[in-house]
Amino acid sequence: MRSGAIVFDWPGVTLMMRISGTVRARIKMDGAGNCFDVRVDGELRDVLVTGHGVEEYGVELMTSAHKASGHICLLEIVKRTEARCIEIKDMGQFRLCRFLGVMVPQSAEVARYSYPDSCRKIEFCGDSDTAGFGCLGRASSRVNVLSLDKREANACQSWAALVSKAFGAAHHNISHSGIGAAWNAPLTGVEGSYVDIYDRRCLGSVANLIHENHEDIRQELPPVDLVVVALGGNDCITLCNPGERDDQAFIRCFVNLLTIIRMHRRTQPILVLTPSPSTSSACADRDEQLQTSTDLNRLIDSAVGLYRGTQNDQLISVHMVVPRYDMDFDNPSDWGTMGHWSVQGHAKFATGVIPEIQRLTGWIPSTHKVEEIVALEKDSDTQSGFENVSFSFCSTDTCCAAGRDAGCMF
């Protein structure tokens, strides 16, 4: 909280509340130029492309008949975009969002929504792929920076969100485009690598570091049941350069990252994902996809093996993601902006992650919903229309994606 407002910036953060006694409400917030899904009872009602400064945004909640019947709706405001704006004209700017509340008539009632204690929670540590970078955009090459458009990013339809919804889980999406385990991509805008951003409550504010000197941090993070790590793609920019490549440095940095995560997550399973050749993103051709997959599988396997052996940690595992449906480098419908996955690509990647999580946890997923997304796209030549589609995996209220500091306070 800051000055009576909820301050946040991570992708996927969700503010939730129950409202009754009114057909409409107004959201008061400084969206800081970000984009948000507005969902009512699980259905997408609007996409807010916000400006800068405090503004009010109207939302239709229910019909007059529903109001008269005493219906209580669930309002969700979900951050689609990353902590850092992904448009050329604003490259490098961090923008903290401030949620000030919901304005309703005095006769209406607003109540905080809380997850039930039984709700599963998954934490995802990743880069642009996990953040849903460009998933709504048309396929373009990785060097086509002019294709950047924040409206074509959607963490709500990233593979992390799809996997979570398939298991009826809330999730923490701690991801940032360009971040690496050891080395970042150019123009990332972050000092340090992933280990330096993991424990910030807000990425855009160093003052929001969760711990100091890693002391007494066990109670600082909200509890989760599983941690999933998907990093390394941006490191390959350095690994592919013979003059800069340092395999041992990458392994050391990855081991250090696992060490820091384990300091926060003492008893939770940690699943580290690696790409198969067809799932490597932001590559120039199939040969680069193969090289990326080969390098990351070898180096990450070595890092996890070293960490597991020195720490005797049997709760950490590595899994190469092989989708149930093939991803094709030459199929534009699998790809979005700058060589990143489209919604279809994210859904395909999710089908390679879900079985491994089921194996680790024993949770029973509803994978048919992910497959429906793939089927929906099979006959489509473009990504148009996805920004207006909400993919629901479950009718229960526990399936909403939640960010690290999600909540609804007024």
Side-chain angles (χ1 to χ4, degrees):
M1 297 285 289
R2 179 186 293 176
S3 301
I6 297 176
V7 180
F8 60 97
D9 64 1
W10 287 108
V13 169
T14 302
L15 306 169
M16 297 177 293
M17 62 216 75
R18 297 283 197 184
I19 301 178
S20 62
T22 181
V23 297
R24 62 183 60 86
R26 298 191 67 81
I27 301 166
K28 187 175 182 180
M29 66 187 303
D30 177 0
N34 284 277
C35 301
F36 300 82
D37 277 357
V38 177
R39 302 175 186 168
V40 178
D41 293 333
E43 295 184 0
L44 185 66
R45 289 292 175 87
D46 198 3
V47 175
L48 301 183
V49 181
T50 65
H52 297 276
V54 177
E55 297 184 29
E56 296 177 9
Y57 303 90
V59 180
E60 296 295 322
L61 299 175
M62 64 185 79
T63 64
S64 296
H66 278 107
K67 174 189 172 184
S69 69
H71 178 67
I72 303 174
C73 73
L74 174 65
L75 173 63
E76 303 169 80
I77 306 162
V78 192
K79 191 170 186 288
R80 295 163 57 122
T81 40
E82 297 184 48
R84 174 169 166 264
C85 188
I86 52 172
E87 288 190 303
I88 288 297
K89 62 185 177 67
D90 293 321
M91 187 62 74
Q93 293 192 19
F94 293 91
R95 294 174 167 176
L96 295 174
C97 303
R98 294 189 302 127
F99 176 76
L100 300 172
V102 171
M103 303 174 67
V104 299
Q106 289 186 346
S107 58
E109 293 186 6
V110 180
R112 179 172 180 162
Y113 174 84
S114 299
Y115 288 117
D117 293 338
S118 59
C119 180
R120 299 162 178 160
K121 301 177 182 66
I122 308 175
E123 183 167 84
F124 293 89
C125 306
D127 50 30
S128 53
D129 288 329
T130 305
F133 176 97
C135 66
L136 303 178
R138 295 179 183 274
S140 63
S141 76
R142 66 178 178 183
V143 298
N144 188 2
V145 294
L146 296 179
S147 62
L148 286 173
D149 187 336
K150 64 185 178 184
R151 294 168 298 181
E152 293 175 347
N154 193 351
C156 307
Q157 295 186 28
S158 70
W159 68 271
L162 302 181
V163 167
S164 297
K165 292 174 184 176
F167 286 108
H171 77 286
H172 303 160
N173 189 332
I174 311 172
S175 60
H176 182 57
S177 289
I179 203 76
W183 307 288
N184 299 339
L187 301 176
T188 300
V190 173
E191 293 185 7
S193 58
Y194 189 87
V195 72
D196 299 295
I197 74 168
Y198 173 70
D199 43 19
R200 295 187 191 182
R201 290 198 181 276
C202 291
L203 178 57
S205 175
V206 177
N208 279 276
L209 285 172
I210 290 175
H211 70 83
E212 293 291 340
N213 300 320
H214 304 299
E215 296 178 359
D216 192 24
I217 60 177
R218 285 174 291 179
Q219 304 301 320
E220 295 293 344
L221 293 178
V224 296
D225 301 297
L226 173 68
V227 178
V228 181
V229 180
L231 288 163
N234 294 299
D235 297 272
C236 286
I237 297 173
T238 298
L239 291 171
C240 290
N241 187 333
E244 298 181 6
R245 181 178 182 123
D246 188 337
D247 289 5
Q248 292 306 309
F250 176 85
I251 291 172
R252 287 195 300 271
C253 288
F254 211 96
V255 169
N256 183 47
L257 170 61
L258 296 176
T259 302
I260 296 301
I261 293 175
R262 179 56 79 204
M263 291 176 69
H264 286 275
R265 304 304 189 187
R266 306 271 175 150
T267 60
Q268 291 83 356
I270 300 175
L271 172 61
V272 181
L273 302 179
T274 59
S276 60
S278 71
T279 62
S280 298
S281 67
C283 293
D285 50 41
R286 292 178 187 272
D287 289 341
E288 187 175 342
Q289 281 189 308
L290 177 60
Q291 187 62 53
T292 295
S293 174
T294 301
D295 283 343
L296 290 181
N297 277 280
R298 179 175 59 83
L299 294 174
I300 291 175
D301 277 348
S302 296
V304 173
L306 177 61
Y307 174 81
R308 185 191 291 134
T310 57
Q311 301 297 321
N312 192 27
D313 190 338
Q314 302 305 310
L315 290 176
I316 184 169
S317 59
V318 184
H319 174 67
M320 183 174 74
V321 179
V322 179
R324 182 171 180 176
Y325 300 91
D326 291 335
M327 294 180 69
D328 187 349
F329 183 84
D330 295 319
N331 180 4
S333 63
D334 281 344
W335 305 95
T337 302
M338 295 182 66
H340 289 73
W341 304 322
S342 64
V343 174
Q344 172 172 299
H346 279 273
K348 288 183 175 182
F349 190 81
T351 65
V353 178
I354 288 170
E356 182 63 12
I357 291 180
Q358 181 179 9
R359 186 190 70 80
L360 283 176
T361 64
W363 301 343
I364 305 301
S366 300
T367 57
H368 65 283
K369 295 298 180 76
V370 175
E371 293 165 10
E372 285 175 8
I373 297 176
V374 176
L376 182 66
E377 264 291 87
K378 281 184 177 178
D379 297 327
S380 174
D381 294 327
T382 71
Q383 292 300 307
S384 62
F386 266 113
E387 65 271 19
N388 295 317
V389 179
S390 175
F391 296 104
S392 176
F393 289 78
C394 180
S395 60
T396 68
D397 292 336
T398 62
C399 295
C400 310
R404 168 169 283 168
D405 286 320
C408 29
M409 303 170 69
F410 312 102

